[in-house]
Amino acid sequence: MRTVDLIQRKRDGGELTPEEIEFLVEGYTNGDIPDYQMSAFLMAVYFSGMTDREVSRLTECMLQSGDTVDLSAVPGVKVDKHSTGGVGDKTSLIVAPLAAAAGVIVPMMSGRALGHTGGTLDKLESIPGFRTDLSAEEVQRQLADMGLCFIGQTDRLAPADRKLYALRDVTATVESIPLISSSIMSKKLAEGVDALVLDVKVGSGAFMKKQVDARRLAQTMVGIGRRMDKKVQALITDMSQPLGYAVGNALEVMEASQTLQNAGPADLTKLSIELAARMIYLGKKTASLDDARRAAEQALVDGSGYRKLKQVVAAQGGNPQALDKFELLPNATGMREVASPRGGYVTSIDAQDIGVASNLIGAGRDRKEDAIDPAVGIILEVKAGEKVDAGSVLCRLYYTKEDRVEEAAEMVEDAFRISAQRPDERELILEVVG
Ligand code: URA
């Protein structure tokens, strides 16, 4: 078998056999296939797509490229949640404790910032002392003790995804339905969960810009789960503007903490309750989805979700007081306001531009090895649909270094569309798949 022939067949729209896909994944993971050939293959998949059979085999091969976690010693249904990536999307920090407070076992495996989107691990690591590199024994103990842990992808879990993901990030091949599906599902299946709730984002700040593509992505992942005997449900949710008001690592931890104390933004609270409810229902803690919604709301209102997050932060070496006393989190040293050039209604806030601007001032990475600045980011003052006056503040940029602040401020100003016409209200939760 020759790699070049497989690239050529995929380039020309042909289908690969299961053995050929195995050859490619194994060869790339063990270093026999070089980056330049795999890059060409990824680009061929980007343009030609893959059949269901190919995506299933690709996912299986990526899953089998490393260890799989055995959580059978921990009693209960294990449920995780994963977002396809957005801006200001801090729901994992909220839904995982809410579901765990309602009795679900949640081994939450999260990722780092990718492109203009943020990553849960980076957000959590802005809490002083917090560590996500738990050993297999620590994971099992913590899940048995408190029903929740936050971990990152280790070198041994779906290593093919780690390598492919890094290559996709620098070869403009992220936004591909078969590649996103196999990437997410291989690592989620490797972590030993029984069920999974997916938040498939659509809109300017998401990898899928159109609802029809988000639906296909959701259907592909639900289908992979079904073929592997896992219960998977996907919500397709709006990412045309940032979720909540805060974008940036420590800033998002603050907003998540406020939301768990029932004082968060309406959109973030609504989506968090719905995602947590789906986890509670799939975790078989309630007889109906409505009961699960009530259980999620209860965990928010009675503070048990908030206490759960503090317990887990302490267990993983972080300072739980930082969730009350925000001065204990990394703080920015400078602030720049962005004012509205005219009065009118905010018709849209381009989430991708906000994400890129936040990265410009240090909240994300340009290259894999870059360090992020946990203190910096953007706080919106208004959301789409609200009325503003000329000169009123649209948002504030928080920074620690001045060099790219002006560039970021210009980008942010362009992200806001202001018009005389009040825009139609957009639904937050657009569809359910699975
Ligand atoms: N999240 C993932 O884990 N993989 C992708 O390809 C995109 C988002």
Side-chain angles (χ1 to χ4, degrees):
M1 218 179 287
R2 290 191 327 151
T3 306
V4 63
D5 299 328
L6 306 185
I7 298 171
Q8 188 173 12
R9 175 131 42 89
K10 188 39 71 187
R11 184 198 69 190
D12 297 340
E15 186 178 11
L16 303 188
T17 65
E19 295 71 36
E20 288 167 339
I21 290 177
E22 192 177 328
F23 169 82
L24 286 170
V25 175
E26 260 187 39
Y28 185 58
T29 311
N30 67 27
D32 290 346
I33 296 178
D35 279 353
Y36 57 82
Q37 279 193 308
M38 193 42 103
S39 305
F41 177 72
L42 293 171
M43 195 55 88
V45 172
Y46 179 90
F47 282 113
S48 301
M50 278 185 153
T51 62
D52 283 352
R53 194 170 76 133
E54 286 178 305
V55 182
S56 285
R57 188 64 193 138
L58 178 62
T59 309
E60 269 167 16
C61 292
M62 287 165 70
L63 163 67
Q64 288 156 6
S65 68
D67 295 347
T68 47
V69 181
D70 180 6
L71 291 177
S72 54
V74 182
V77 184
K78 287 102 205 162
V79 188
D80 194 2
K81 169 256 164 194
H82 194 84
S83 159
T84 55
V87 178
D89 181 6
K90 68 284 288 173
T91 55
S92 290
L93 304 184
I94 303 161
V95 303
L98 289 179
V104 183
I105 306 295
V106 186
M108 173 143 293
M109 192 174 71
S110 303
R112 298 201 176 271
L114 174 70
H116 65 278
T117 67
T120 302
L121 290 186
D122 295 321
K123 293 170 202 180
L124 284 165
E125 284 172 1
S126 69
I127 302 171
F130 195 91
R131 44 179 283 265
T132 52
D133 58 341
L134 304 186
S135 66
E137 293 69 39
E138 284 174 310
V139 167
Q140 299 227 358
R141 199 173 337 115
Q142 196 169 310
L143 285 177
D145 286 353
M146 54 194 81
L148 170 62
C149 64
F150 288 103
I151 47 170
Q153 185 179 0
T154 63
D155 285 340
R156 297 194 353 228
L157 217 68
D161 174 59
R162 273 176 86 91
K163 255 187 115 173
L164 286 167
Y165 197 83
L167 189 64
R168 286 168 56 212
D169 199 20
V170 293
T171 54
T173 51
V174 171
E175 300 93 334
S176 150
I177 290 172
L179 298 179
I180 296 178
S181 307
S182 51
S183 162
I184 291 179
M185 295 305 288
S186 63
K187 52 189 174 240
K188 289 290 153 179
L189 294 169
E191 88 182 304
V193 288
D194 303 302
L196 178 62
V197 175
L198 294 166
D199 184 3
V200 178
K201 300 286 187 197
V202 62
S204 64
F207 293 124
M208 296 293 117
K209 309 291 180 202
K210 294 197 222 121
Q211 198 164 327
V212 56
D213 293 330
R215 188 179 305 127
R216 272 187 46 226
L217 175 59
Q219 285 165 343
T220 304
M221 291 193 284
V222 168
I224 294 172
R226 191 175 305 127
R227 285 190 287 279
M228 300 206 179
D229 243 2
K230 307 283 175 190
K231 195 89 193 96
V232 181
Q233 253 189 13
L235 300 187
I236 299 178
T237 71
D238 182 50
M239 185 32 72
S240 60
Q241 65 173 335
L243 190 61
Y245 291 92
V247 178
N249 298 287
L251 298 175
E252 293 193 41
V253 169
M254 295 178 206
E255 193 169 70
S257 171
Q258 285 162 338
T259 305
L260 276 171
Q261 295 175 77
N262 206 11
D267 59 346
L268 179 60
T269 304
K270 179 177 175 177
L271 181 55
S272 300
I273 293 285
E274 189 61 27
L275 290 167
R278 303 261 165 192
M279 292 174 77
I280 294 166
Y281 183 57
L282 291 187
K284 299 197 168 75
K285 289 290 155 192
T286 57
S288 72
L289 183 56
D290 276 340
D291 286 347
R293 289 195 181 103
R294 279 187 282 277
E297 266 158 21
Q298 168 86 13
L300 185 83
V301 171
D302 69 14
S304 53
Y306 180 54
R307 288 193 294 280
K308 181 63 72 182
L309 180 62
K310 287 181 109 177
Q311 184 188 22
V312 169
V313 165
Q316 295 191 217
N319 181 356
Q321 285 190 344
L323 297 173
D324 300 310
K325 298 189 181 128
F326 294 155
E327 64 275 17
L328 296 175
L329 290 169
N331 274 287
T333 48
M335 190 271 287
R336 158 84 156 80
E337 289 182 344
V338 174
S340 181
R342 71 187 80 85
Y345 290 97
V346 178
T347 52
S348 63
I349 307 170
D350 190 300
Q352 174 154 356
D353 284 351
I354 299 286
V356 172
S358 172
N359 283 359
L360 276 180
I361 52 177
R365 299 178 180 81
D366 286 335
R367 286 165 309 161
K368 214 157 42 87
E369 50 289 351
D370 288 349
I372 58 159
D373 185 340
V376 304
I378 296 172
I379 305 243
L380 307 182
E381 282 301 310
V382 289
K383 300 277 299 223
E386 289 181 38
K387 204 162 182 215
V388 292
D389 297 322
S392 64
V393 177
L394 296 174
C395 69
R396 295 185 165 85
L397 273 56
Y398 291 88
Y399 59 87
T400 54
K401 288 197 210 95
E402 292 201 13
D403 40 345
R404 297 177 88 178
V405 174
E406 282 318 306
E407 193 186 339
E410 268 171 41
M411 183 170 269
V412 165
E413 196 179 317
D414 284 348
F416 283 83
R417 290 270 164 276
I418 316 278
S419 116
Q421 214 91 53
R422 184 199 284 270
D424 291 340
E425 216 170 292
R426 267 188 79 88
E427 287 293 323
L428 178 62
I429 301 170
L430 300 161
E431 270 179 64
V432 180
V433 177

